[in-house]
Structures are given as structure tokens and as C-alpha cells.
Amino acid sequence: MEEQRIWILPDFLVSQIAAGEVVQRPESVVKELVENALDAGATTIAVTVHGGGKRLIHVVDNGCGMSRPDLLLCIQRHATSKLRSLEDLHRIRTLGFRGEALASIAAVSQLEIRTRRAEDAVGWRLLSEPEGEPRVEPYACEKGTQVFVRNLFYNVPARRKFLRSDITEFRLIADMMTRFVLGQPDVRFVFNDERTLLFDVPPGMLQERFAALFGDELAQRMLPVECCVEGLRIWGLIGHPEVSRPSRTHQFLFLNRRWIRHKGLSHAVYTAYEQLLDAGSYPVFVLHIEVDPEEVDVNVHPQKYEVRFEDEQRAFTAMLEAVQGTLRQYHLAPTVAVEFAHAPMTVERTREGEQLLVNRLTGEIVAPARPGLRQESVGGGRGERISAGGGAARHILNRIPAGAELASGLLAPTPAVRCWQIRRTYILWETAEGLRLVDQHVAHERVLYERFRQAWEVEQRLPQRLLLPLPIALSPAERALVEELWESLHAMGFELQRLPSGDYELTAAPADLPSGQEEQTLRELLAAYQEQRPSIAGSVVEWLLATMACKAAVKAGDLLTEAEMQALLQQLQECRLPYVCPHGRPVIVELPWEEVERLFERR
Ligand code: ADP
Ligand code: MG
């Protein structure tokens, strides 16, 4: 007898096997259904999930809807309205095109679809179970489509077993929804977990959406990118280097509105940030790439996350330029090292009449101006620094001209590029690339901030003990603030003693605070805190450090000598992030020579 062992698999089994590729977990069902809604032109899409999507996934859209024959066909394998020919495949603009999703979902769940086209008076409802024939009946419903996916994998226990807890599955779905919200700014998305509304974001700008998902604080630190390079349009948001994250969770790439993974493009972004971020911190970004669909292949993977560009190198270069260009525009791009001369040393005289050699910007006493000067050591490796205390150091008696008198080696002049102070606000000098301007206040703020912060971070505060305790009379309101901030002030290096009279005495101040400014800075800090109160409890100290840097820094209008400017530039150069102040304002700007030449019509 002829034995036949080969047979054609029944459709439902084929679909179930295929379903393994397209539908791996509730998250993939959400993805497919939302993509269908987007392809149908929906402007509002509401997603509700129950039991991490295992019990129910419900997606409602206001898209074009389906006719009765289309409704019957849509759950067949390879049934699609989006693709007819091979040429179509190469210029696909829709998110779906394989015609597999609904068939796969139908093979592993109880599926219900309600749908109505605008032109139809009545809609239709389809009910399907994996092994039976689907039923279609007239149904009164809104224009658009609603899909209910119930009991996913109920008929495939092996798959069900692989699902994670409801919470984990839910989180994966939420991540998926996040990508849609960022990928499709013109569509309203409503997302519910059973009866809890997680978000309802109206159509709008990417920035607003970003804020709705990640909060205003982060959103305000995002820089807009908009750039067309080599036939690619790149737009979106990139994070200020100071809001980098310890992992890659806040990074999103979209190609023609489709969320993608692409090592090369991510690498291009990292390259642009290279010198701005420490190892182990990652930039935040939401970047859209728009390109002619014929130039990319999205058909590499069933889920279409992996894509290939016809010219990968060009895509890399375009992305690098877009991000670099934006960082540069915000003055965050690294500039060439600043040359410098020497520190702004002045001789100051203490109350006792002793002369000290003081760095006028920082208040540091660098070396005794004369032998025999009394020094007070304040522990650690910075013993040479003392404070003249009580504000005496503010009186500058002699200004030492650059390099003169002091050929001690310590202040030996180095070949200097000249620099000028402009409007008592900016420092101007020239480099091989162009004219460079630094905002003196912002630059000093940066320098001080890093010093304060570092001292605080390593917890070697080495507070600068004052020679004489400084009595400070405070109003009742200020006293309350001092008590509230006691720990934080202490952590920063402000050491206060409570006096029986109810007043306070300042016995030490942060080491890098210019001497003579201790009391005033403390008062300004209290006032600023009272006014602005930072919203996040954990960051009070950081806020105070940034504010202190701002208060203690030289101001616009302060006259600086060339030596002082040189020293400031030198200190700036040693900063970890010299290009922005702690509040994100630029420190350095440059007018490139090409621009100058263009202005003079020499090119
Ligand atoms: P694909 O999206 O790859 O075409 P699907 O299996 O996801 O395959 O969907 C099959 C077809 O069903 C689609 O091509 C579309 O015509 C129709 N369809 C699916 N979902 C919707 C919807 N929400 N609104 C209108 N039509 C839909
Ligand atoms: Mg689809």
C-alpha cells in the first residue's frame, strides 16, 4: 500500500506556528494593533489592557474602518491592503505590510473586531476562535475599528508559560506605548490599565509629549534638533549633557515614524557626545529620521525593528552632523584648549598688617608674599590655603603686574595669547579657529560649581576654618531656614555654631568660596532658597551648590585684569564640562574666521 506521510498543515496550525514570530507576548499584540490603527489613518487611539495584556487587549481607533468583505479577509494569512506588487514593497510607507498580524493573533486568542467605515450606515462585528469558522454580523458602532484580544495564548500553554508576571508584561506594553507617543506626535493616545488612566496625550509638539512622559524638568533640558543632511531629515530632541542617564533607557530612534534599533545611528549620537559625557553615562535622545522609503529596507525582521539603509555610511554621517551641529549651536561642542598665562595674584594685607599673596578670583592664599608669614593648616593636602578671615582680605593694596617681581617659578609667565575684557562682561581672545568670547560670570560660576561639587562628592570638604568666628545676625525667617538647611549647609562646608543669644557664628566656610564673601554668600543662599525652593527633596545640596557658585562668581561689570582673565580661562579649561554653566547657559562662544571673512566679503 502506498504510504503517505506528508500532509499539508491545516491553516490554523500554520498560523499558530507563524504566530510565534509575530506575536511573542502581549506587547507584540499591542504593537501590531496600534500600527494597524495608524495605518488606517486614526488620529485618536485608545489602548486598554487587563492582566498585563494576558486577559484583554482592547484597541479603539477612529481610522477608516473596514467593509464586510475586508473584515472577513483581514484575519486570513497574507491578507493585506497595503501591498500589491514587488515595487510596492520597496516604497512601503505603512507600518504593516506582511498581512500576518491579525491572522497570527486570531490563531492564539479569542478575537473580536468591531468596525465601521464612514460611508456605511451600519458597522460589522467579527468573532473568531482559533479553530472555528469566524462569525460576522451587523453591529452598530462608531466610525473606526475596535479590536478585542482576549485570553492570549489560552490555546498554546507552552507559550503562555513563557509569559512573565502581569506587572512585567504591563511594563513592556507601557514601553511600547511610550515609543508610539514619541514616534507619532500628531496622534492622540489614551492608555489605560484596567480602570486606571495612565496617560491621555493630545496631538502636539514632540517637546510637550516628552514632558508628558518624562516630566517638565527633563523636557526643559532637551535641545531641539532640526536638520537636513544628504537627503535625510533628522529632527527631534537631544538631552543636555548634564541630564545624561546611567543607562540607555531614554534613547529613541524612529525611521519614518517607525521605532527602530540601529547600532550605527546610536553610535553616531554617542560619537557626537563623546567628550561631553563621562564613561558610563548615556545621552537622552528622541530622534526622528525621515528618508525616502526606497532607500531603506525594513523587511529584515518580522517585527521590523531592524532596518538597513541603502547607504549606511551616509546615514551615520548625517546623524553625527545633526547632533554635533545642535550641540555646537548650543555652545556645547568642545573647543580647542585655551592657552593661558598665570593666576591673578594680588597681595593683600590682613588686619594684623601681614601681607598675603592671594588669588583674587578664588581667595586662595597661594604662597606667603614674604617669608615668615603665619599659615594655618586646615588638614589634608591643601594645608597651604588659609583664610585671612573677617573680610580683611578684600582690601587689595598692590596689584602685581603680570610676571613682575615674582620670578619665583610659581608665577613664571608662559607664552600667552592676549585677551581683553569687553563691556566688563566678556573675555575676548583669538585662536586659530576664530574669535572666542567667554562670559566671565558664567565661566567663573562653572569653575566654582565644579570645585564645590567635587569637594562635596568626595566628602573631603576641608572647610576653610575662619581665623575668627564670624558672628551672623539673622532674622527669625532666616533662622528658620538655617535650621531647615542645617544638614545641607554642613555638608557643603558651612559650619555654624548656635549662640545662647539665638544668633549664629560662622566658624568655617566651603573651601573654594572666595574669602571675604562667606557671610554674604550664606545670606544670598538663604534668600534664594526661600524664594525658589528646589522642588526635588534629594537635590537640595546640589541646588545650593549651584546657587552658591552663581552668587560667589564674579559678576558682569566686575573689572578683571588680563592676568585674572587668563587664570579664569585656565581654571575653566580644567573643568569637566567647561562649555555650560550649572544652569545650562553657554560659557564659550566663537565667531569662526570664515564668518569674519564672509562678513568682509573676502570669500
Ligand atoms: P498588515 O497590517 O500587514 O496589512 P494585518 O494582519 O495587521 O496586516 O492587517 C490586515 C489588514 O486588515 C490590513 O492590511 C488592513 O487593511 C486591515 N486592518 C487591520 N486593522 C485595521 C484597522 N484598525 N482599521 C482598518 N483596517 C484595518
Ligand atoms: Mg498590521
Side-chain angles (χ1 to χ4, degrees), residues 327-338 427 429 431 435-440 442-443 569 572-573 577-581 585-591:
L327 290 172
R328 211 177 290 133
Q329 199 183 330
Y330 286 84
H331 317 295
L332 294 164
T335 44
V336 188
V338 172
I427 305 170
W429 75 104
T431 73
L435 279 179
R436 214 164 272 175
L437 274 170
V438 155
D439 181 315
Q440 64 188 41
V442 182
L569 296 178
L572 185 65
Q573 179 174 262
L577 186 60
Y579 313 107
V580 273
C581 86
R585 271 175 296 141
V587 175
I588 307 178
V589 301
E590 181 175 286
L591 180 63

Side-chain angles (χ1 to χ4, degrees), residues 32 35-36 39 82 95-97 99-102 304:
E32 295 296 336
E35 287 190 348
N36 280 348
D39 285 344
K82 302 168 192 175
L95 294 163
F97 55 81
E100 282 178 336
L102 288 179
K304 314 178 191 86

Side-chain angles (χ1 to χ4, degrees), residues 22 32-42 59-67 70-71 73-83 94-105 113-115 144-147 304:
V22 183
E32 295 296 336
L33 297 182
V34 173
E35 287 190 348
N36 280 348
L38 290 165
D39 285 344
V59 177
V60 186
D61 71 55
N62 63 351
C64 64
M66 282 179 270
S67 65
D70 279 352
L71 180 59
L73 263 180
C74 77
I75 55 165
Q76 300 296 313
R77 295 198 68 213
H78 311 302
T80 180
S81 55
K82 302 168 192 175
L83 186 66
T94 50
L95 294 163
F97 55 81
R98 289 168 171 251
E100 282 178 336
L102 288 179
S104 301
I105 294 166
I113 305 178
R114 301 173 191 172
T115 188
T145 303
Q146 292 197 33
V147 182
K304 314 178 191 86

Side-chain angles (χ1 to χ4, degrees), residues 162-380:
F162 275 102
L163 296 184
R164 317 266 286 275
S165 67
D166 288 5
I167 293 174
T168 307
E169 293 296 342
F170 177 78
R171 208 173 297 132
L172 291 169
I173 295 173
D175 287 347
M176 179 63 65
M177 291 304 295
T178 300
R179 293 170 200 155
F180 281 120
V181 169
L182 295 173
Q184 311 278 341
D186 338 310
V187 177
R188 174 179 166 203
F189 286 97
V190 186
F191 182 38
N192 283 286
D193 177 21
E194 313 225 344
R195 258 162 238 94
T196 318
L197 175 69
L198 287 143
F199 57 69
D200 178 351
V201 284
M205 307 282 289
L206 185 59
Q207 187 116 21
E208 294 160 11
R209 305 216 128 189
F210 187 92
L213 293 169
F214 300 112
D216 286 336
E217 203 176 339
L218 185 56
Q220 279 162 12
R221 310 301 308 277
M222 301 298 289
L223 317 171
V225 177
E226 172 66 74
C227 149
C228 285
V229 207
E230 308 200 32
L232 280 91
R233 177 173 171 235
I234 296 174
W235 62 279
L237 300 168
I238 59 173
H240 194 286
E242 289 196 338
V243 295
S244 63
R245 288 287 181 270
S247 70
R248 296 170 214 266
T249 49
H250 287 52
Q251 305 186 341
F252 302 87
L253 284 178
F254 300 92
L255 173 67
N256 294 341
R257 313 240 156 172
R258 180 197 301 281
W259 179 77
I260 58 160
R261 275 193 263 260
H262 196 286
K263 280 217 176 89
L265 291 179
S266 303
H267 186 65
V269 180
Y270 299 151
T271 307
Y273 274 91
E274 202 153 28
Q275 295 173 42
L276 299 175
L277 295 181
D278 295 334
S281 44
Y282 297 90
V284 179
F285 59 84
V286 181
L287 288 166
H288 280 261
I289 302 126
E290 280 171 26
V291 61
D292 184 336
E294 297 201 21
E295 293 192 20
V296 283
D297 183 3
V298 290
N299 199 17
V300 185
H301 188 265
Q303 293 179 331
K304 314 178 191 86
Y305 292 148
E306 321 279 336
V307 297
R308 248 180 243 136
F309 289 83
E310 207 172 79
D311 185 344
E312 292 272 326
Q313 184 59 41
R314 195 184 60 155
F316 180 92
T317 314
M319 182 56 92
L320 178 63
E321 276 179 29
V323 177
Q324 239 171 18
T326 305
L327 290 172
R328 211 177 290 133
Q329 199 183 330
Y330 286 84
H331 317 295
L332 294 164
T335 44
V336 188
V338 172
E339 286 180 78
F340 67 97
H342 35 69
M345 290 304 146
T346 60
V347 172
E348 301 188 9
R349 188 166 289 178
T350 65
R351 264 182 229 161
E352 292 79 26
E354 284 177 319
Q355 283 193 349
L356 301 175
L357 190 57
V358 176
N359 177 327
R360 214 168 73 87
L361 283 179
T362 61
E364 258 176 74
I365 293 173
V366 179
R370 288 191 272 119
L373 180 81
R374 186 166 54 89
Q375 281 200 18
E376 182 190 314
S377 177
V378 275

